[in-house]
Structure formats: structure tokens, C-alpha cells
Amino acid sequence: MTEEEKKVPAVGEKDSRKRTVVIAAAVAAIIVLGGAGGGYAYAANKAYEAYESQVESAKAIDSKLVKKIENAQNLAKATKDTDVLDKTLLGSLNASVKSGEAQKGSPKAEAVNKWMLWDVSKAKTTVADDISAATKAISSIDAAMGKVESSKTAKQVKDAKDTLNKTISDAETLYKDSEGKVQDNKTRESLKTAIDTAKKTVDDKKADVKTLNAQKDAVSKAVKSVNDSKTAKEQADAEAARQAAQQQSQVQTQTYSNTNYNRTNSGTSTYSAPTQQAQTQQSTPQQSQNQQNNNSNNSGYIELCSSGDTSGKEFDYVPCN
């Protein structure tokens, strides 16, 4: 490319009238430098080669634009209003995609007569404009996609923090209510540590979703340990109460049985056996009188008493007092 060609203004810097004047001047300069005859052909050929190279660049840019539009459309389809903190960003993304679609397509080099310097120079300017517009469209779509992605991430972080805060609140309630109600108090200590660490994570502006979720899991795990310990204590207390009630019942039953047994076997029995009457008369008056008195008092019977049990032994009878 000659120095004169390099001085051709960039696309968008001058209005179309000025651009035409500059192109004409460039063509004139090429003709003068190239000389007559073969010089023009040489200049035209060089200009066309530069144009072909520019068209290839335009095609490459257009391919990037097409791919970028496709990615943006997929992002827009996959993103709901509730997935972002600012739903207006989705509108901006769709607008950038629409603008980019208007810039798709690239010229064909063979559409220009390579021997017409005027046409080649004019086509080069048009292609440069296309490249510039496509490049801007790609940048615009990139920026819109980036804002949507950032808003999605911010929404995910916010949701993760909200969930973690709710988990922390429930865990604090459990920590207070579980005092004296767990089998192993170390579980409560671990829960308090997890709560304190989670609070610091929530306050960390750099905390990402992964870190926040990890802290939520840590608190949830500590909560489970406390609940398990509560259940274990409740079961142990219930078992102890059951055993105590069983022992009390056994004591009462034994006492009742012993009382009835004692009442049944603690009485005395009496038995009256007939006495043998004297077969002979005593020789002395006193003996005769005693015999008569005994016969008169007992009517021929002696009252005997005995104490006994149910062991099977024979009763021992003795005169009752």
C-alpha cells in the first residue's frame, strides 16, 4: 500500500462527500506514480489485492459476529427475569443482538471490477465500514452478555446469602433451645462455632456462591448433630423412666404379696382333747375331792392350744393359759 493510500480517511471520520474527494485524489496519485500504460495496471492490481485482503478480514469478523449472536441468543433464552437482579439487562442484550444481526454478511471480492481503480477504492471503503460496524456490534453484544452474566451471579450470591442467613437464624434458635437437652454438649459447641463462621462469610463481600453454600452445609451438619444428640438424650431419659417405673412396680407387687402372706399365716389354732377319766378311786379324801373338782370344772375336757405355720411340721399342743 502506498503512502497516499494510507492517508485515506477512516470510515465514519468524514462525510460521504469528503470521502469521494479523497478517493478521487488517491486514484489520481496512483495513476501519476504508476505512469502510463503498465503503471495503471500495476496500481490497479495492487489496489485490488489490498481489497481482497480486506474482504477476507471482513469475512472473519462476520463469522465472529454470527457466533457471538448465537451465544447471546442462547443466553437470553436460558435466562429468566427472576435469574437476574436487574431484568432490564435482558432487554439490552436482546437489543444488541438485533443490532448485530443487521451487520451480518460480508461482500464478495469478485463483485468489483479489479481494473477499475475507482470501484476498487470505493469498495475498500465500504468493506472498512462493514468491518468497523461488525466489530462494534461484537463489542456491544459482549458487554451486554457480560452484564447479564454478572447480574445472574449477583442474584445467585444474594440467594445463597439469604438461604445461609435463614439457616443461621434457625441454628441460633436450636442452640438456645437445646441447652441442657442434649446427650453430648460438644455438639452445641460445634454448632456455635459453625454459626460464628457462617456469619463472617455472609459479611464477606467477596464470598462466592460456592463458599456460601459450603458454610450452609457446615451449619446444617452441626444442626443435625445437635438434633441427634437431643434425640439420644430423650430416648435415654425415656428408657431410664421406664426402668424406674418397672422397678417401682416390682417393689409394690412384692410388698403386697408379702403382706397378704403374713396375714394368711400369722393366726393361732386351738384344740380341745378329752381327758381320761379316773378308773379307780383315790384312797384319800383330798384326791377324791380334786378329782371331783377337775371333773366339775372341765366337764371331762382339757383346752389345748398350738401355734403353727404351713411348713408341714406337726403342731405341738400345750394347755392354753
Side-chain angles (χ1 to χ4, degrees):
M1 180 180 292
T2 64
E3 292 295 323
E4 287 77 4
E5 287 178 315
K6 292 181 180 179
K7 293 179 181 178
V8 176
V11 177
E13 292 181 353
K14 305 291 182 180
D15 57 29
S16 58
R17 186 174 179 181
K18 270 187 174 184
R19 188 179 300 147
T20 301
V21 173
V22 172
I23 292 173
V27 171
I30 293 172
I31 293 174
V32 171
L33 292 173
Y40 178 84
Y42 174 81
N45 188 59
K46 295 297 289 184
Y48 189 78
E49 287 179 356
Y51 168 69
E52 285 183 317
S53 177
Q54 200 170 29
V55 168
E56 291 302 315
S57 296
K59 289 180 179 179
I61 292 296
D62 186 65
S63 295
K64 290 182 180 179
L65 176 59
V66 170
K67 185 64 176 177
K68 187 64 65 176
I69 289 173
E70 181 182 353
N71 292 340
Q73 289 173 331
N74 290 336
L75 176 61
K77 290 178 181 179
T79 306
K80 301 176 182 178
D81 290 350
T82 54
D83 293 337
V84 292
L85 283 180
D86 185 1
K87 63 182 181 181
T88 62
L89 295 176
L90 289 174
S92 298
L93 176 61
N94 290 326
S96 68
V97 168
K98 186 175 181 180
S99 177
E101 287 181 324
Q103 304 302 324
K104 289 194 302 183
S106 57
K108 296 180 179 180
E110 57 269 23
V112 176
N113 188 338
K114 66 182 296 184
W115 302 113
M116 297 296 294
L117 278 172
W118 176 266
D119 289 344
V120 172
S121 296
K122 185 178 180 180
K124 283 178 62 179
T125 301
T126 300
V127 172
D129 287 345
D130 290 342
I131 291 174
S132 178
T135 301
K136 289 180 179 179
I138 290 173
S139 297
S140 177
I141 294 173
D142 261 336
M145 289 179 67
K147 289 179 180 179
V148 170
E149 292 288 5
S150 295
S151 189
K152 284 180 66 177
T153 300
K155 180 64 164 56
Q156 291 169 355
V157 170
K158 180 181 181 301
D159 290 346
K161 283 190 176 183
D162 290 344
T163 301
L164 180 55
N165 277 325
K166 178 64 168 58
T167 302
I168 290 173
S169 178
D170 293 343
E172 287 180 324
T173 300
L174 175 63
Y175 178 76
K176 294 176 182 177
D177 294 344
S178 62
E179 185 175 2
K181 299 179 181 179
V182 293
Q183 191 174 50
D184 183 1
N185 199 57
K186 289 182 179 179
T187 58
R188 294 183 69 253
E189 295 174 0
S190 297
L191 177 59
K192 184 62 169 63
T193 299
I195 290 172
D196 293 341
T197 302
K199 284 182 175 181
K200 292 179 182 178
T201 302
V202 169
D203 294 336
D204 185 1
K205 294 181 179 180
K206 295 182 179 180
D208 57 15
V209 174
K210 183 178 180 180
T211 302
L212 292 165
N213 287 338
Q215 287 302 313
K216 176 184 71 67
D217 293 340
V219 175
S220 297
K221 183 177 180 181
V223 166
K224 183 179 183 303
S225 295
V226 171
N227 282 327
D228 289 346
S229 189
K230 280 183 63 181
T231 300
K233 187 175 188 305
E234 290 168 358
Q235 292 176 346
D237 290 346
E239 178 62 19
R242 186 190 68 80
Q243 291 181 0
Q246 186 178 31
Q247 291 175 356
Q248 181 66 24
S249 177
Q250 291 174 348
V251 169
Q252 291 176 347
T253 301
Q254 185 65 34
T255 301
Y256 179 77
S257 299
N258 290 341
T259 301
N260 288 340
Y261 180 82
N262 290 336
R263 288 176 178 174
T264 302
N265 299 286
S266 62
T268 59
S269 61
T270 61
Y271 174 75
S272 296
T275 62
Q276 184 178 6
Q277 293 183 346
Q279 298 298 323
T280 56
Q281 292 291 330
Q282 295 183 3
S283 59
T284 63
Q286 182 65 39
Q287 289 177 331
S288 177
Q289 184 63 40
N290 289 341
Q291 183 66 38
Q292 290 178 359
N293 289 340
N294 287 337
N295 290 339
S296 176
N297 291 335
N298 297 302
S299 300
Y301 290 90
I302 297 175
E303 186 175 4
L304 302 177
C305 295
S306 69
S307 294
D309 54 24
T310 60
S311 63
K313 294 180 179 180
E314 290 186 355
F315 291 100
D316 294 326
Y317 293 93
V318 296
C320 297
N321 293 328

